[in-house]
Amino acid sequence: MSRLRRFAVLAAAAVVPALGLTLAGTTQASAAPNFQVPFKCGVTVTAATFSGHSPANSVDFQKSGITGMPVVAAAGGTVSRVANEGSTSYGRWVEVDHGGGWTTRYAHLSTQSVSVGQAVSLGKQLGTAGATGGVTGPHLHFEERLNGVAQKAKLNGVAVPYYGHTNFTSKNSCGGNPYEATEVCGSGFSVVDSQALAGGSGTAYLLYNASAKSNCVTTLKAVSLGTASPVSAFLEVQGSARTTDSGSFTYYAGPVKKTAASTCVKWGGSVGSNAYESPFEHCD
């Protein structure tokens, strides 16, 4: 998983007036933010994808009674378009710029509640769902764009299936870190130990991949989520130098990985001034 997902959101990219298309090549591409379902915490919606959707890779969120439901930002950023195409195309729609060439679009809204240039945090209400524009029924049209091109969507790290109808329950601004230790370290890793940090500030995790004989450490924040603040993770294989990942990150430090078959390891991490360091252990 890319380190870039941990950093604070960057400034808005330039847009052209015709339909708010982001100018390709004007910003350097970076890893996508951890986009969330664009509805309030706990709301279950159906993500519909189909061949021939315009643009390709768009998602239509469907739900009985969706008209008037709050539509919220899938990630933090800056509002770059608030437009009204009337009874055609997107109808009422909003675009949010997340930096690094990434934008999201929210279309067919019944109302809009933000303005161009406004900074929005994850979960900030952008408007309400509806059926404006060229539609046959109420739904939310959603796009995750990179340099002006709609990408296959991911929601909280889970790829939206193409093509079909798949239910997603929103974890948007539910509280708590949206990442899990196994997601940070990657496929094949399982948690073997963890330590809560003082003050409820976060948790350091030690994971192991048995097939690769590899250890992984990550520290997940529980405070100042979505805001860059000091966090670290380290891993030391007995007899080798310690490797540390530290900096101001929005959600976690790490992953720090080292091969250590049948060798003791020392591990730990910190959030702010709250730190943990293990003895040499897990030697099998």
Side-chain angles (χ1 to χ4, degrees), residues 62 142 220 247 250 256 282-283:
Q62 303 171 346
F142 175 74
L220 303 187
T250 52
V256 181
H282 299 289
C283 304

Side-chain angles (χ1 to χ4, degrees), residues 5-9 221 224-229 248-252:
R5 290 192 184 180
R6 296 175 280 148
F7 288 93
V9 180
K221 294 167 56 178
S224 300
L225 294 172
T227 301
S229 63
S248 290
F249 305 131
T250 52
Y251 292 105
Y252 62 85

Side-chain angles (χ1 to χ4, degrees), residues 107-202:
H108 310 311
L109 302 174
S110 57
T111 64
Q112 297 146 297
S113 54
V114 291
S115 57
V116 172
Q118 180 178 340
V120 294
S121 58
L122 170 68
K124 170 67 176 179
Q125 185 168 333
L126 306 176
T128 55
T132 60
V135 297
T136 57
H139 65 277
L140 174 68
H141 175 97
F142 175 74
E143 302 170 26
E144 297 175 5
R145 289 185 164 228
L146 177 60
N147 292 331
V149 179
Q151 308 295 304
K152 288 189 173 181
K154 287 187 176 181
L155 300 169
N156 197 33
V158 178
V160 175
Y162 288 78
Y163 297 100
H165 291 68
T166 309
N167 287 343
F168 282 85
T169 298
S170 176
K171 297 181 180 180
N172 196 322
S173 300
C174 290
N177 197 309
Y179 291 95
E180 297 180 359
T182 50
E183 181 184 1
V184 175
C185 287
S187 177
F189 282 93
S190 300
V191 175
V192 295
D193 206 345
S194 64
Q195 177 63 47
L197 303 178
S201 57

Side-chain angles (χ1 to χ4, degrees), residues 188-241:
F189 282 93
S190 300
V191 175
V192 295
D193 206 345
S194 64
Q195 177 63 47
L197 303 178
S201 57
T203 304
Y205 292 89
L206 174 67
L207 297 85
Y208 188 66
N209 184 322
S211 61
K213 310 297 182 186
S214 179
N215 293 270
C216 178
V217 176
T218 182
T219 302
L220 303 187
K221 294 167 56 178
V223 295
S224 300
L225 294 172
T227 301
S229 63
V231 57
S232 71
F234 77 85
L235 176 60
E236 180 180 343
V237 178
Q238 195 164 28
S240 301

